[in-house]
DNA sequence: AAACAGGAACCAC
DNA sequence: GTGGTTCCTGTT
């Protein structure tokens, strides 16, 4: 990889297995939007625009330091997706999904933001989830100014724990307002050390997540995969259920059986396989 | 305008 | 521990 720092931006050459559409439109993150030039997103207290062409990744509004300290890991650039895909291509069925979503990568997102985002995602769709999160950030997050526009960081636990239920409902959270407030309080109190879950095993971290209000099996697996770096997590939502049944069976299968098939077939990278499958299922509207 | 889409809580059993 | 019902909002 060849890294060049320019005024207010960084360019990296020789990045393979990367496509912003596949990465930012596959339901793993909610704060990246295409603005006609590139994908603009808020991460921590930073706003950047990401543009990718032909192996060259351009990150606007950042520094070489931030690239090394944040973006390299956030974008999972240290992982060899070519190698993983080579394994996946051996499965004739998964191959179809991988060929289609060749540029998918799992982002390494902030555990706290991922926790709340996926509590909101329960019984919800991507468009609504994005709107709700945006309103929460506008109301409770710190403003960040860039390019004459105001963006907002994701609110700290304290802000959401102290927000009123009425306020959270006004953001469109609906009945999830209770879950958000309660879970924010659990994090604020230190009962659950959300960042510390990274250092635990998948099973232990999952058990802890399941003690939080609004976190069930599927949401827990999303947090483990997208926020806690557990690539073996295999979240099964309706789309993944449909595509797995479509590909690997002809009739409905219980979710626990789907997870078992995934574990056997995809092993420690089941979560990455899940992402190719999810993107493929939604694009092709499998089962709909 | 009623039906539908989307996971977790909660209460029976 | 399993099964059925309810929760909220936006879209069709």
């Amino acid at each position: 990889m060849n890294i060049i720092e320019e005024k207010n931006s960084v360019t990296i050459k020789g990045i393979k297995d990367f496509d912003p559409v596949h990465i930012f439109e596959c339901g793993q993150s909610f704060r990246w939007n295409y603005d006609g030039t590139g994908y603009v997103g808020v991460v921590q207290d930073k706003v950047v625009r990401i543009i990718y062409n032909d192996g060259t990744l351009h990150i606007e509004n950042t520094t070489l330091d931030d690239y090394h300290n944040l973006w390299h890991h956030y974008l999972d650039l240290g992982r060899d997706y070519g190698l993983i895909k080579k394994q996946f291509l051996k499965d004739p069925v998964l191959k179809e999904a991988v060929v289609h979503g060749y540029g998918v990568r799992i982002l390494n997102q902030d555990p706290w933001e991922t926790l709340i985002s996926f509590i909101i995602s329960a019984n919800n769709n991507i468009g609504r989830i994005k709107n709700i999160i945006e309103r929460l950030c506008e109301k409770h997050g710190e403003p960040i100014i860039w390019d004459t526009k105001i963006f907002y960081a994701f609110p700290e636990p304290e802000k959401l724990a102290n927000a009123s239920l009425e306020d959270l409902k006004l953001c469109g959270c609906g009945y999830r307002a209770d879950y958000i407030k309660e879970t924010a309080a659990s994090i604020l109190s230190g009962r659950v050390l959300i960042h510390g879950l990274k250092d635990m095993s998948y099973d232990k971290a999952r058990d802890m997540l399941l003690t939080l209000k609004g976190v069930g099996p599927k949401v827990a697996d999303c947090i483990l995969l997208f926020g806690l770096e557990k690539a073996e997590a295999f979240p099964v939502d309706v789309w993944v259920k449909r595509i797995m049944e479509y590909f690997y069976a002809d009739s409905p299968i219980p979710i626990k059986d789907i997870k078992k098939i995934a574990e056997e077939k995809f092993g420690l990278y089941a979560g990455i396989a899940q992402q190719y499958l999810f993107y493929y299922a939604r694009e092709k509207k499998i089962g709909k």
Side-chain angles (χ1 to χ4, degrees), chain A residues 8-182:
Chain A
N8 213 31
S9 74
V10 170
T11 299
I12 309 99
K13 294 187 175 170
I15 304 273
K16 288 183 289 187
D17 311 304
F18 190 107
D19 188 308
V21 176
H22 300 170
I23 293 169
F24 297 125
E25 305 286 358
C26 68
Q28 64 175 318
S29 64
F30 304 104
R31 301 209 68 204
W32 289 93
N33 295 295
Y34 189 68
D35 74 345
T37 308
Y39 275 87
V40 176
V42 184
V43 175
Q44 298 176 10
D45 59 348
K46 303 165 202 305
V47 181
V48 296
R49 182 185 285 117
I50 285 181
I51 299 163
Y52 179 87
N53 267 310
D54 239 4
T56 298
L57 174 63
H58 188 61
I59 309 177
E60 285 182 18
N61 197 34
T62 196
T63 62
L64 190 58
D65 270 357
D66 276 358
Y67 171 73
H68 284 123
N69 296 331
L70 176 62
W71 302 115
H72 178 82
H73 185 240
Y74 181 87
L75 298 169
D76 212 21
L77 298 180
R79 198 195 293 276
D80 187 348
Y81 280 76
L83 209 60
I84 294 166
K85 287 197 287 185
K86 209 170 155 187
Q87 288 297 313
F88 288 169
L89 289 170
K90 290 180 188 164
D91 182 311
V93 172
L94 182 57
K95 177 179 177 181
E96 217 170 313
V98 171
V99 166
H100 185 255
Y102 56 87
V104 161
R105 272 170 187 267
I106 306 288
L107 298 172
N108 292 300
Q109 303 179 70
D110 176 72
W112 156 248
E113 177 174 339
T114 308
L115 167 63
I116 297 301
S117 297
F118 281 93
I119 286 176
I120 294 167
S121 81
N123 213 18
N124 217 336
N125 61 60
I126 293 174
R128 267 190 66 205
I129 299 161
K130 290 177 84 163
N131 289 336
I132 293 168
I133 292 174
E134 222 39 54
R135 287 190 285 261
L136 282 178
C137 293
E138 279 169 22
K139 276 203 157 186
H140 301 286
E142 293 298 317
I144 310 160
I145 296 173
W146 179 52
D147 203 17
T148 72
K149 285 191 281 290
I150 307 179
F151 299 83
Y152 295 88
F154 194 84
E156 293 302 314
E158 188 186 355
K159 291 286 177 56
L160 296 186
N162 293 331
S164 69
L165 289 178
E166 293 70 32
D167 181 281
L168 295 174
K169 283 178 182 166
L170 279 176
C171 295
C173 298
Y175 59 83
R176 304 166 196 83
D178 289 295
Y179 306 161
I180 293 169
K181 195 169 158 63
E182 267 208 47

Side-chain angles (χ1 to χ4, degrees), chain A residues 93-98 104 234 239-240 243-244 247-248 262 266 270-283 286:
Chain A
V93 172
L94 182 57
K95 177 179 177 181
E96 217 170 313
V98 171
V104 161
F234 192 86
W239 292 98
V240 173
I243 188 87
M244 289 292 282
F247 272 163
Y248 297 104
F266 316 135
I272 298 174
Q274 185 268 5
Q275 211 52 24
Y276 292 111
L277 291 166
F278 179 86
Y279 184 72
Y280 183 86
R282 283 187 60 94
E283 289 286 303
I286 298 282

Side-chain angles (χ1 to χ4, degrees), chain A residues 236-237 240-262:
Chain A
V236 182
D237 65 357
V240 173
K241 189 169 186 296
R242 282 177 196 144
I243 188 87
M244 289 292 282
E245 286 163 353
Y246 175 84
F247 272 163
Y248 297 104
D250 296 320
S251 53
I253 326 170
I255 288 174
K256 62 170 173 26
D257 294 352
I258 292 181
K259 288 192 65 146
K260 195 178 290 170
I261 295 170

